[in-house]
Every structure is written in C-alpha cells, then in structure tokens.
PDB file of all heavy atoms in Angstrom:
ATOM      1  N   PRO A  98       1.019   0.915   7.628  1.00  0.00           N
ATOM      2  CA  PRO A  98       0.234   1.231   8.820  1.00  0.00           C
ATOM      3  C   PRO A  98      -1.196   0.689   8.801  1.00  0.00           C
ATOM      4  O   PRO A  98      -1.890   0.757   9.806  1.00  0.00           O
ATOM      5  CB  PRO A  98       0.228   2.759   8.870  1.00  0.00           C
ATOM      6  CG  PRO A  98       0.630   3.211   7.526  1.00  0.00           C
ATOM      7  CD  PRO A  98       1.388   2.101   6.876  1.00  0.00           C
ATOM      8  N   SER A  99      -1.629   0.156   7.674  1.00  0.00           N
ATOM      9  CA  SER A  99      -2.985  -0.381   7.579  1.00  0.00           C
ATOM     10  C   SER A  99      -3.035  -1.496   6.556  1.00  0.00           C
ATOM     11  O   SER A  99      -2.480  -1.363   5.463  1.00  0.00           O
ATOM     12  CB  SER A  99      -3.966   0.723   7.158  1.00  0.00           C
ATOM     13  OG  SER A  99      -5.238   0.178   6.866  1.00  0.00           O
ATOM     14  N   VAL A 100      -3.737  -2.558   6.905  1.00  0.00           N
ATOM     15  CA  VAL A 100      -4.027  -3.613   5.938  1.00  0.00           C
ATOM     16  C   VAL A 100      -5.513  -3.572   5.599  1.00  0.00           C
ATOM     17  O   VAL A 100      -5.896  -3.337   4.456  1.00  0.00           O
ATOM     18  CB  VAL A 100      -3.602  -5.011   6.433  1.00  0.00           C
ATOM     19  CG1 VAL A 100      -4.086  -6.094   5.480  1.00  0.00           C
ATOM     20  CG2 VAL A 100      -2.084  -5.083   6.578  1.00  0.00           C
ATOM     21  N   ALA A 101      -6.375  -3.778   6.585  1.00  0.00           N
ATOM     22  CA  ALA A 101      -7.816  -3.905   6.314  1.00  0.00           C
ATOM     23  C   ALA A 101      -8.405  -2.651   5.675  1.00  0.00           C
ATOM     24  O   ALA A 101      -9.046  -2.729   4.625  1.00  0.00           O
ATOM     25  CB  ALA A 101      -8.566  -4.256   7.593  1.00  0.00           C
ATOM     26  N   GLU A 102      -8.211  -1.490   6.297  1.00  0.00           N
ATOM     27  CA  GLU A 102      -8.801  -0.262   5.761  1.00  0.00           C
ATOM     28  C   GLU A 102      -8.206   0.093   4.399  1.00  0.00           C
ATOM     29  O   GLU A 102      -8.935   0.379   3.444  1.00  0.00           O
ATOM     30  CB  GLU A 102      -8.613   0.899   6.742  1.00  0.00           C
ATOM     31  CG  GLU A 102      -9.433   0.753   7.996  1.00  0.00           C
ATOM     32  CD  GLU A 102      -9.176   1.827   9.037  1.00  0.00           C
ATOM     33  OE1 GLU A 102      -8.056   2.403   9.058  1.00  0.00           O
ATOM     34  OE2 GLU A 102     -10.090   2.105   9.827  1.00  0.00           O
ATOM     35  N   ALA A 103      -6.880   0.073   4.296  1.00  0.00           N
ATOM     36  CA  ALA A 103      -6.226   0.454   3.042  1.00  0.00           C
ATOM     37  C   ALA A 103      -6.571  -0.508   1.909  1.00  0.00           C
ATOM     38  O   ALA A 103      -6.838  -0.083   0.776  1.00  0.00           O
ATOM     39  CB  ALA A 103      -4.710   0.518   3.241  1.00  0.00           C
ATOM     40  N   ALA A 104      -6.605  -1.805   2.193  1.00  0.00           N
ATOM     41  CA  ALA A 104      -6.925  -2.792   1.154  1.00  0.00           C
ATOM     42  C   ALA A 104      -8.361  -2.635   0.667  1.00  0.00           C
ATOM     43  O   ALA A 104      -8.632  -2.709  -0.538  1.00  0.00           O
ATOM     44  CB  ALA A 104      -6.684  -4.205   1.675  1.00  0.00           C
ATOM     45  N   ALA A 105      -9.285  -2.398   1.590  1.00  0.00           N
ATOM     46  CA  ALA A 105     -10.692  -2.204   1.197  1.00  0.00           C
ATOM     47  C   ALA A 105     -10.827  -0.989   0.284  1.00  0.00           C
ATOM     48  O   ALA A 105     -11.495  -1.050  -0.756  1.00  0.00           O
ATOM     49  CB  ALA A 105     -11.569  -2.039   2.440  1.00  0.00           C
ATOM     50  N   ILE A 106     -10.193   0.108   0.652  1.00  0.00           N
ATOM     51  CA  ILE A 106     -10.264   1.336  -0.151  1.00  0.00           C
ATOM     52  C   ILE A 106      -9.648   1.123  -1.532  1.00  0.00           C
ATOM     53  O   ILE A 106     -10.244   1.494  -2.551  1.00  0.00           O
ATOM     54  CB  ILE A 106      -9.568   2.503   0.583  1.00  0.00           C
ATOM     55  CG1 ILE A 106     -10.371   2.885   1.834  1.00  0.00           C
ATOM     56  CG2 ILE A 106      -9.387   3.705  -0.341  1.00  0.00           C
ATOM     57  CD1 ILE A 106      -9.628   3.804   2.800  1.00  0.00           C
ATOM     58  N   LEU A 107      -8.465   0.539  -1.577  1.00  0.00           N
ATOM     59  CA  LEU A 107      -7.800   0.299  -2.870  1.00  0.00           C
ATOM     60  C   LEU A 107      -8.622  -0.610  -3.777  1.00  0.00           C
ATOM     61  O   LEU A 107      -8.768  -0.340  -4.974  1.00  0.00           O
ATOM     62  CB  LEU A 107      -6.421  -0.322  -2.656  1.00  0.00           C
ATOM     63  CG  LEU A 107      -5.294   0.634  -2.332  1.00  0.00           C
ATOM     64  CD1 LEU A 107      -4.046  -0.139  -1.911  1.00  0.00           C
ATOM     65  CD2 LEU A 107      -4.986   1.530  -3.527  1.00  0.00           C
ATOM     66  N   ALA A 108      -9.154  -1.675  -3.224  1.00  0.00           N
ATOM     67  CA  ALA A 108      -9.932  -2.615  -4.039  1.00  0.00           C
ATOM     68  C   ALA A 108     -11.199  -1.967  -4.570  1.00  0.00           C
ATOM     69  O   ALA A 108     -11.546  -2.138  -5.740  1.00  0.00           O
ATOM     70  CB  ALA A 108     -10.268  -3.864  -3.239  1.00  0.00           C
ATOM     71  N   ALA A 109     -11.899  -1.216  -3.737  1.00  0.00           N
ATOM     72  CA  ALA A 109     -13.141  -0.564  -4.170  1.00  0.00           C
ATOM     73  C   ALA A 109     -12.861   0.498  -5.222  1.00  0.00           C
ATOM     74  O   ALA A 109     -13.622   0.640  -6.178  1.00  0.00           O
ATOM     75  CB  ALA A 109     -13.866   0.035  -2.973  1.00  0.00           C
ATOM     76  N   ALA A 110     -11.784   1.220  -5.077  1.00  0.00           N
ATOM     77  CA  ALA A 110     -11.440   2.251  -6.058  1.00  0.00           C
ATOM     78  C   ALA A 110     -10.979   1.622  -7.368  1.00  0.00           C
ATOM     79  O   ALA A 110     -11.338   2.086  -8.448  1.00  0.00           O
ATOM     80  CB  ALA A 110     -10.338   3.156  -5.503  1.00  0.00           C
ATOM     81  N   LYS A 111     -10.235   0.553  -7.281  1.00  0.00           N
ATOM     82  CA  LYS A 111      -9.686  -0.090  -8.474  1.00  0.00           C
ATOM     83  C   LYS A 111     -10.759  -0.797  -9.288  1.00  0.00           C
ATOM     84  O   LYS A 111     -10.715  -0.823 -10.512  1.00  0.00           O
ATOM     85  CB  LYS A 111      -8.611  -1.096  -8.073  1.00  0.00           C
ATOM     86  CG  LYS A 111      -7.925  -1.722  -9.259  1.00  0.00           C
ATOM     87  CD  LYS A 111      -6.777  -2.591  -8.825  1.00  0.00           C
ATOM     88  CE  LYS A 111      -6.160  -3.218 -10.054  1.00  0.00           C
ATOM     89  NZ  LYS A 111      -4.874  -3.783  -9.807  1.00  0.00           N
ATOM     90  N   LYS A 112     -11.753  -1.375  -8.611  1.00  0.00           N
ATOM     91  CA  LYS A 112     -12.779  -2.148  -9.312  1.00  0.00           C
ATOM     92  C   LYS A 112     -13.433  -1.337 -10.420  1.00  0.00           C
ATOM     93  O   LYS A 112     -13.607  -1.807 -11.523  1.00  0.00           O
ATOM     94  CB  LYS A 112     -13.836  -2.643  -8.328  1.00  0.00           C
ATOM     95  CG  LYS A 112     -14.920  -3.472  -8.999  1.00  0.00           C
ATOM     96  CD  LYS A 112     -15.908  -4.004  -7.994  1.00  0.00           C
ATOM     97  CE  LYS A 112     -16.949  -4.838  -8.686  1.00  0.00           C
ATOM     98  NZ  LYS A 112     -18.212  -4.152  -8.857  1.00  0.00           N
ATOM     99  N   GLY A 113     -13.794  -0.112 -10.118  1.00  0.00           N
ATOM    100  CA  GLY A 113     -14.452   0.704 -11.122  1.00  0.00           C
ATOM    101  C   GLY A 113     -13.579   1.820 -11.659  1.00  0.00           C
ATOM    102  O   GLY A 113     -14.024   2.635 -12.445  1.00  0.00           O
ATOM    103  N   GLY A 114     -12.324   1.866 -11.208  1.00  0.00           N
ATOM    104  CA  GLY A 114     -11.451   2.937 -11.618  1.00  0.00           C
ATOM    105  C   GLY A 114     -11.894   4.275 -11.052  1.00  0.00           C
ATOM    106  O   GLY A 114     -11.564   5.328 -11.574  1.00  0.00           O
ATOM    107  N   LEU A 115     -12.665   4.217  -9.979  1.00  0.00           N
ATOM    108  CA  LEU A 115     -13.236   5.421  -9.387  1.00  0.00           C
ATOM    109  C   LEU A 115     -12.724   5.597  -7.965  1.00  0.00           C
ATOM    110  O   LEU A 115     -11.866   4.875  -7.511  1.00  0.00           O
ATOM    111  CB  LEU A 115     -14.768   5.301  -9.372  1.00  0.00           C
ATOM    112  CG  LEU A 115     -15.410   4.967 -10.702  1.00  0.00           C
ATOM    113  CD1 LEU A 115     -16.865   4.603 -10.498  1.00  0.00           C
ATOM    114  CD2 LEU A 115     -15.288   6.143 -11.652  1.00  0.00           C
ATOM    115  N   GLU A 116     -13.316   6.536  -7.270  1.00  0.00           N
ATOM    116  CA  GLU A 116     -12.989   6.722  -5.871  1.00  0.00           C
ATOM    117  C   GLU A 116     -13.805   5.752  -5.030  1.00  0.00           C
ATOM    118  O   GLU A 116     -14.785   5.179  -5.487  1.00  0.00           O
ATOM    119  CB  GLU A 116     -13.280   8.155  -5.457  1.00  0.00           C
ATOM    120  CG  GLU A 116     -12.353   9.151  -6.105  1.00  0.00           C
ATOM    121  CD  GLU A 116     -12.549  10.548  -5.575  1.00  0.00           C
ATOM    122  OE1 GLU A 116     -13.017  10.704  -4.438  1.00  0.00           O
ATOM    123  OE2 GLU A 116     -12.226  11.479  -6.296  1.00  0.00           O
ATOM    124  N   ALA A 117     -13.377   5.605  -3.784  1.00  0.00           N
ATOM    125  CA  ALA A 117     -14.068   4.709  -2.865  1.00  0.00           C
ATOM    126  C   ALA A 117     -14.266   5.421  -1.538  1.00  0.00           C
ATOM    127  O   ALA A 117     -13.544   6.348  -1.197  1.00  0.00           O
ATOM    128  CB  ALA A 117     -13.248   3.445  -2.666  1.00  0.00           C
ATOM    129  N   GLU A 118     -15.269   4.942  -0.812  1.00  0.00           N
ATOM    130  CA  GLU A 118     -15.552   5.491   0.514  1.00  0.00           C
ATOM    131  C   GLU A 118     -15.430   4.373   1.544  1.00  0.00           C
ATOM    132  O   GLU A 118     -15.985   3.288   1.356  1.00  0.00           O
ATOM    133  CB  GLU A 118     -16.964   6.060   0.555  1.00  0.00           C
ATOM    134  CG  GLU A 118     -17.366   6.583   1.917  1.00  0.00           C
ATOM    135  CD  GLU A 118     -18.801   7.065   1.967  1.00  0.00           C
ATOM    136  OE1 GLU A 118     -19.506   7.011   0.937  1.00  0.00           O
ATOM    137  OE2 GLU A 118     -19.223   7.482   3.046  1.00  0.00           O
ATOM    138  N   LEU A 119     -14.696   4.653   2.611  1.00  0.00           N
ATOM    139  CA  LEU A 119     -14.608   3.704   3.702  1.00  0.00           C
ATOM    140  C   LEU A 119     -15.914   3.785   4.490  1.00  0.00           C
ATOM    141  O   LEU A 119     -16.182   4.773   5.163  1.00  0.00           O
ATOM    142  CB  LEU A 119     -13.411   4.023   4.601  1.00  0.00           C
ATOM    143  CG  LEU A 119     -13.123   3.020   5.707  1.00  0.00           C
ATOM    144  CD1 LEU A 119     -12.722   1.663   5.137  1.00  0.00           C
ATOM    145  CD2 LEU A 119     -12.036   3.557   6.627  1.00  0.00           C
ATOM    146  N   LEU A 120     -16.743   2.767   4.380  1.00  0.00           N
ATOM    147  CA  LEU A 120     -18.035   2.742   5.073  1.00  0.00           C
ATOM    148  C   LEU A 120     -17.899   2.317   6.523  1.00  0.00           C
ATOM    149  O   LEU A 120     -18.593   2.831   7.398  1.00  0.00           O
ATOM    150  CB  LEU A 120     -18.999   1.771   4.391  1.00  0.00           C
ATOM    151  CG  LEU A 120     -19.488   2.100   3.007  1.00  0.00           C
ATOM    152  CD1 LEU A 120     -20.419   1.001   2.511  1.00  0.00           C
ATOM    153  CD2 LEU A 120     -20.193   3.442   2.984  1.00  0.00           C
ATOM    154  N   VAL A 121     -17.032   1.330   6.756  1.00  0.00           N
ATOM    155  CA  VAL A 121     -16.851   0.787   8.092  1.00  0.00           C
ATOM    156  C   VAL A 121     -15.356   0.747   8.390  1.00  0.00           C
ATOM    157  O   VAL A 121     -14.617   0.023   7.726  1.00  0.00           O
ATOM    158  CB  VAL A 121     -17.438  -0.641   8.204  1.00  0.00           C
ATOM    159  CG1 VAL A 121     -17.257  -1.191   9.613  1.00  0.00           C
ATOM    160  CG2 VAL A 121     -18.897  -0.664   7.788  1.00  0.00           C
ATOM    161  N   PRO A 122     -14.903   1.540   9.364  1.00  0.00           N
ATOM    162  CA  PRO A 122     -13.493   1.460   9.741  1.00  0.00           C
ATOM    163  C   PRO A 122     -13.187   0.109  10.386  1.00  0.00           C
ATOM    164  O   PRO A 122     -14.098  -0.666  10.696  1.00  0.00           O
ATOM    165  CB  PRO A 122     -13.311   2.607  10.735  1.00  0.00           C
ATOM    166  CG  PRO A 122     -14.666   2.956  11.202  1.00  0.00           C
ATOM    167  CD  PRO A 122     -15.648   2.491  10.154  1.00  0.00           C
ATOM    168  N   LYS A 123     -11.923  -0.137  10.610  1.00  0.00           N
ATOM    169  CA  LYS A 123     -11.525  -1.466  11.076  1.00  0.00           C
ATOM    170  C   LYS A 123     -12.185  -1.856  12.395  1.00  0.00           C
ATOM    171  O   LYS A 123     -12.378  -1.046  13.289  1.00  0.00           O
ATOM    172  CB  LYS A 123     -10.014  -1.574  11.183  1.00  0.00           C
ATOM    173  CG  LYS A 123      -9.385  -0.792  12.316  1.00  0.00           C
ATOM    174  CD  LYS A 123      -7.883  -0.997  12.295  1.00  0.00           C
ATOM    175  CE  LYS A 123      -7.207  -0.275  13.451  1.00  0.00           C
ATOM    176  NZ  LYS A 123      -5.759  -0.436  13.413  1.00  0.00           N
ATOM    177  N   ASN A 124     -12.550  -3.122  12.456  1.00  0.00           N
ATOM    178  CA  ASN A 124     -13.084  -3.780  13.644  1.00  0.00           C
ATOM    179  C   ASN A 124     -12.186  -4.984  13.898  1.00  0.00           C
ATOM    180  O   ASN A 124     -11.894  -5.735  12.968  1.00  0.00           O
ATOM    181  CB  ASN A 124     -14.503  -4.287  13.400  1.00  0.00           C
ATOM    182  CG  ASN A 124     -15.526  -3.187  13.343  1.00  0.00           C
ATOM    183  OD1 ASN A 124     -16.254  -2.981  14.279  1.00  0.00           O
ATOM    184  ND2 ASN A 124     -15.597  -2.462  12.229  1.00  0.00           N
ATOM    185  N   ILE A 125     -11.781  -5.180  15.137  1.00  0.00           N
ATOM    186  CA  ILE A 125     -10.878  -6.280  15.485  1.00  0.00           C
ATOM    187  C   ILE A 125     -11.669  -7.361  16.220  1.00  0.00           C
ATOM    188  O   ILE A 125     -12.422  -7.069  17.142  1.00  0.00           O
ATOM    189  CB  ILE A 125      -9.709  -5.778  16.350  1.00  0.00           C
ATOM    190  CG1 ILE A 125      -8.926  -4.697  15.577  1.00  0.00           C
ATOM    191  CG2 ILE A 125      -8.785  -6.934  16.739  1.00  0.00           C
ATOM    192  CD1 ILE A 125      -7.905  -3.956  16.403  1.00  0.00           C
ATOM    193  N   PHE A 126     -11.484  -8.628  15.781  1.00  0.00           N
ATOM    194  CA  PHE A 126     -12.241  -9.753  16.326  1.00  0.00           C
ATOM    195  C   PHE A 126     -11.333 -10.839  16.874  1.00  0.00           C
ATOM    196  O   PHE A 126     -10.363 -11.233  16.232  1.00  0.00           O
ATOM    197  CB  PHE A 126     -13.121 -10.388  15.232  1.00  0.00           C
ATOM    198  CG  PHE A 126     -14.242  -9.518  14.808  1.00  0.00           C
ATOM    199  CD1 PHE A 126     -14.050  -8.567  13.823  1.00  0.00           C
ATOM    200  CD2 PHE A 126     -15.491  -9.624  15.405  1.00  0.00           C
ATOM    201  CE1 PHE A 126     -15.085  -7.735  13.427  1.00  0.00           C
ATOM    202  CE2 PHE A 126     -16.528  -8.799  15.012  1.00  0.00           C
ATOM    203  CZ  PHE A 126     -16.324  -7.850  14.022  1.00  0.00           C
ATOM    204  N   ARG A 127     -11.703 -11.327  18.055  1.00  0.00           N
ATOM    205  CA  ARG A 127     -11.127 -12.525  18.666  1.00  0.00           C
ATOM    206  C   ARG A 127     -12.307 -13.290  19.241  1.00  0.00           C
ATOM    207  O   ARG A 127     -13.200 -12.690  19.835  1.00  0.00           O
ATOM    208  CB  ARG A 127     -10.187 -12.168  19.812  1.00  0.00           C
ATOM    209  CG  ARG A 127      -8.935 -11.457  19.418  1.00  0.00           C
ATOM    210  CD  ARG A 127      -8.147 -11.044  20.680  1.00  0.00           C
ATOM    211  NE  ARG A 127      -6.980 -10.279  20.339  1.00  0.00           N
ATOM    212  CZ  ARG A 127      -6.962  -8.964  20.126  1.00  0.00           C
ATOM    213  NH1 ARG A 127      -8.077  -8.268  20.246  1.00  0.00           N
ATOM    214  NH2 ARG A 127      -5.853  -8.348  19.812  1.00  0.00           N
ATOM    215  N   LEU A 128     -12.328 -14.594  19.080  1.00  0.00           N
ATOM    216  CA  LEU A 128     -13.396 -15.400  19.666  1.00  0.00           C
ATOM    217  C   LEU A 128     -12.805 -16.582  20.411  1.00  0.00           C
ATOM    218  O   LEU A 128     -11.934 -17.279  19.883  1.00  0.00           O
ATOM    219  CB  LEU A 128     -14.346 -15.929  18.586  1.00  0.00           C
ATOM    220  CG  LEU A 128     -15.283 -14.913  17.951  1.00  0.00           C
ATOM    221  CD1 LEU A 128     -16.098 -15.569  16.837  1.00  0.00           C
ATOM    222  CD2 LEU A 128     -16.219 -14.303  18.984  1.00  0.00           C
ATOM    223  N   SER A 129     -13.300 -16.803  21.598  1.00  0.00           N
ATOM    224  CA  SER A 129     -12.862 -17.944  22.389  1.00  0.00           C
ATOM    225  C   SER A 129     -13.145 -19.225  21.618  1.00  0.00           C
ATOM    226  O   SER A 129     -14.226 -19.406  21.065  1.00  0.00           O
ATOM    227  CB  SER A 129     -13.620 -17.940  23.715  1.00  0.00           C
ATOM    228  OG  SER A 129     -13.253 -19.061  24.475  1.00  0.00           O
ATOM    229  N   GLY A 130     -12.161 -20.098  21.566  1.00  0.00           N
ATOM    230  CA  GLY A 130     -12.340 -21.385  20.893  1.00  0.00           C
ATOM    231  C   GLY A 130     -11.916 -21.398  19.434  1.00  0.00           C
ATOM    232  O   GLY A 130     -11.830 -22.459  18.839  1.00  0.00           O
ATOM    233  N   LEU A 131     -11.683 -20.210  18.857  1.00  0.00           N
ATOM    234  CA  LEU A 131     -11.212 -20.152  17.466  1.00  0.00           C
ATOM    235  C   LEU A 131      -9.855 -19.460  17.428  1.00  0.00           C
ATOM    236  O   LEU A 131      -9.703 -18.376  17.991  1.00  0.00           O
ATOM    237  CB  LEU A 131     -12.198 -19.383  16.583  1.00  0.00           C
ATOM    238  CG  LEU A 131     -13.525 -20.060  16.295  1.00  0.00           C
ATOM    239  CD1 LEU A 131     -14.437 -19.133  15.508  1.00  0.00           C
ATOM    240  CD2 LEU A 131     -13.314 -21.358  15.533  1.00  0.00           C
ATOM    241  N   PRO A 132      -8.883 -20.074  16.762  1.00  0.00           N
ATOM    242  CA  PRO A 132      -7.557 -19.470  16.741  1.00  0.00           C
ATOM    243  C   PRO A 132      -7.513 -18.210  15.876  1.00  0.00           C
ATOM    244  O   PRO A 132      -8.200 -18.108  14.869  1.00  0.00           O
ATOM    245  CB  PRO A 132      -6.675 -20.568  16.132  1.00  0.00           C
ATOM    246  CG  PRO A 132      -7.603 -21.417  15.339  1.00  0.00           C
ATOM    247  CD  PRO A 132      -8.931 -21.344  16.032  1.00  0.00           C
ATOM    248  N   GLY A 133      -6.690 -17.249  16.331  1.00  0.00           N
ATOM    249  CA  GLY A 133      -6.401 -16.088  15.514  1.00  0.00           C
ATOM    250  C   GLY A 133      -7.068 -14.800  15.947  1.00  0.00           C
ATOM    251  O   GLY A 133      -7.845 -14.749  16.892  1.00  0.00           O
ATOM    252  N   VAL A 134      -6.710 -13.759  15.208  1.00  0.00           N
ATOM    253  CA  VAL A 134      -7.259 -12.414  15.361  1.00  0.00           C
ATOM    254  C   VAL A 134      -7.521 -11.901  13.954  1.00  0.00           C
ATOM    255  O   VAL A 134      -6.689 -12.054  13.060  1.00  0.00           O
ATOM    256  CB  VAL A 134      -6.267 -11.477  16.075  1.00  0.00           C
ATOM    257  CG1 VAL A 134      -6.807 -10.058  16.142  1.00  0.00           C
ATOM    258  CG2 VAL A 134      -5.930 -11.990  17.455  1.00  0.00           C
ATOM    259  N   VAL A 135      -8.681 -11.282  13.736  1.00  0.00           N
ATOM    260  CA  VAL A 135      -9.076 -10.795  12.422  1.00  0.00           C
ATOM    261  C   VAL A 135      -9.487  -9.329  12.520  1.00  0.00           C
ATOM    262  O   VAL A 135     -10.192  -8.949  13.449  1.00  0.00           O
ATOM    263  CB  VAL A 135     -10.256 -11.616  11.843  1.00  0.00           C
ATOM    264  CG1 VAL A 135     -10.727 -11.054  10.511  1.00  0.00           C
ATOM    265  CG2 VAL A 135      -9.869 -13.070  11.698  1.00  0.00           C
ATOM    266  N   THR A 136      -9.049  -8.542  11.552  1.00  0.00           N
ATOM    267  CA  THR A 136      -9.465  -7.145  11.436  1.00  0.00           C
ATOM    268  C   THR A 136     -10.231  -6.994  10.131  1.00  0.00           C
ATOM    269  O   THR A 136      -9.771  -7.463   9.085  1.00  0.00           O
ATOM    270  CB  THR A 136      -8.254  -6.200  11.450  1.00  0.00           C
ATOM    271  OG1 THR A 136      -7.510  -6.432  12.644  1.00  0.00           O
ATOM    272  CG2 THR A 136      -8.683  -4.749  11.388  1.00  0.00           C
ATOM    273  N   VAL A 137     -11.401  -6.346  10.195  1.00  0.00           N
ATOM    274  CA  VAL A 137     -12.271  -6.195   9.030  1.00  0.00           C
ATOM    275  C   VAL A 137     -12.641  -4.728   8.849  1.00  0.00           C
ATOM    276  O   VAL A 137     -12.959  -4.043   9.825  1.00  0.00           O
ATOM    277  CB  VAL A 137     -13.566  -7.028   9.205  1.00  0.00           C
ATOM    278  CG1 VAL A 137     -14.547  -6.769   8.081  1.00  0.00           C
ATOM    279  CG2 VAL A 137     -13.241  -8.503   9.303  1.00  0.00           C
ATOM    280  N   ALA A 138     -12.610  -4.260   7.603  1.00  0.00           N
ATOM    281  CA  ALA A 138     -13.085  -2.932   7.226  1.00  0.00           C
ATOM    282  C   ALA A 138     -13.849  -3.075   5.914  1.00  0.00           C
ATOM    283  O   ALA A 138     -13.618  -4.026   5.160  1.00  0.00           O
ATOM    284  CB  ALA A 138     -11.922  -1.959   7.054  1.00  0.00           C
ATOM    285  N   VAL A 139     -14.752  -2.128   5.624  1.00  0.00           N
ATOM    286  CA  VAL A 139     -15.564  -2.225   4.406  1.00  0.00           C
ATOM    287  C   VAL A 139     -15.518  -0.892   3.662  1.00  0.00           C
ATOM    288  O   VAL A 139     -15.726   0.161   4.258  1.00  0.00           O
ATOM    289  CB  VAL A 139     -17.030  -2.578   4.738  1.00  0.00           C
ATOM    290  CG1 VAL A 139     -17.869  -2.681   3.461  1.00  0.00           C
ATOM    291  CG2 VAL A 139     -17.119  -3.861   5.545  1.00  0.00           C
ATOM    292  N   ALA A 140     -15.281  -0.976   2.354  1.00  0.00           N
ATOM    293  CA  ALA A 140     -15.301   0.199   1.502  1.00  0.00           C
ATOM    294  C   ALA A 140     -16.271  -0.027   0.339  1.00  0.00           C
ATOM    295  O   ALA A 140     -16.484  -1.163  -0.099  1.00  0.00           O
ATOM    296  CB  ALA A 140     -13.916   0.518   0.952  1.00  0.00           C
ATOM    297  N   GLU A 141     -16.831   1.080  -0.148  1.00  0.00           N
ATOM    298  CA  GLU A 141     -17.800   1.012  -1.235  1.00  0.00           C
ATOM    299  C   GLU A 141     -17.245   1.714  -2.472  1.00  0.00           C
ATOM    300  O   GLU A 141     -16.684   2.799  -2.377  1.00  0.00           O
ATOM    301  CB  GLU A 141     -19.101   1.712  -0.801  1.00  0.00           C
ATOM    302  CG  GLU A 141     -20.165   1.737  -1.875  1.00  0.00           C
ATOM    303  CD  GLU A 141     -21.429   2.425  -1.404  1.00  0.00           C
ATOM    304  OE1 GLU A 141     -21.373   3.269  -0.496  1.00  0.00           O
ATOM    305  OE2 GLU A 141     -22.486   2.121  -1.975  1.00  0.00           O
ATOM    306  N   GLU A 142     -17.470   1.090  -3.605  1.00  0.00           N
ATOM    307  CA  GLU A 142     -17.146   1.706  -4.878  1.00  0.00           C
ATOM    308  C   GLU A 142     -18.146   2.860  -5.093  1.00  0.00           C
ATOM    309  O   GLU A 142     -19.352   2.656  -5.011  1.00  0.00           O
ATOM    310  CB  GLU A 142     -17.296   0.686  -5.999  1.00  0.00           C
ATOM    311  CG  GLU A 142     -17.169   1.272  -7.374  1.00  0.00           C
ATOM    312  CD  GLU A 142     -17.543   0.276  -8.457  1.00  0.00           C
ATOM    313  OE1 GLU A 142     -17.592  -0.932  -8.189  1.00  0.00           O
ATOM    314  OE2 GLU A 142     -17.801   0.736  -9.578  1.00  0.00           O
ATOM    315  N   LEU A 143     -17.643   4.054  -5.332  1.00  0.00           N
ATOM    316  CA  LEU A 143     -18.509   5.199  -5.558  1.00  0.00           C
ATOM    317  C   LEU A 143     -18.839   5.328  -7.038  1.00  0.00           C
ATOM    318  O   LEU A 143     -17.962   5.201  -7.894  1.00  0.00           O
ATOM    319  CB  LEU A 143     -17.860   6.491  -5.070  1.00  0.00           C
ATOM    320  CG  LEU A 143     -17.602   6.563  -3.565  1.00  0.00           C
ATOM    321  CD1 LEU A 143     -16.916   7.880  -3.226  1.00  0.00           C
ATOM    322  CD2 LEU A 143     -18.890   6.409  -2.787  1.00  0.00           C
TER     323      LEU A 143
END
C-alpha cells in the first residue's frame, strides 16, 4: 500500500538500527514537459 512513505521509514530506521519518524508524508509530482509521475516522502533517523 505504500512505496515512498514505507521505504523512507524503513531506510531511516535501518540506518541506525533505531526508530524513524516520517517528517514529510508523500507528495505527488507531475510536471509539464517531463515524463512520469514521482511520489516523495522523507523520514528521519531518530
């Protein structure tokens, strides 16, 4: 059910073996003239 949010959380938690906090929930981007759709989320290693 999630790629961007779940991947950010897992990576941040795994990096330090600690918990992580989702700082920015997913944002979806499309821009005229550039192919594709991108979803971005940010998590912080606690």
Side-chain angles (χ1 to χ4, degrees):
S99 171
V100 173
E102 291 175 334
I106 292 167
L107 278 170
K111 184 174 178 165
K112 181 177 181 257
L115 307 169
E116 292 186 25
E118 177 184 359
L119 186 65
L120 293 179
V121 181
K123 71 180 182 182
N124 287 257
I125 301 170
F126 291 86
R127 293 175 184 85
L128 287 176
S129 178
L131 290 175
V134 176
V135 176
T136 303
V137 174
V139 180
E141 178 180 25
E142 172 189 343
L143 296 178

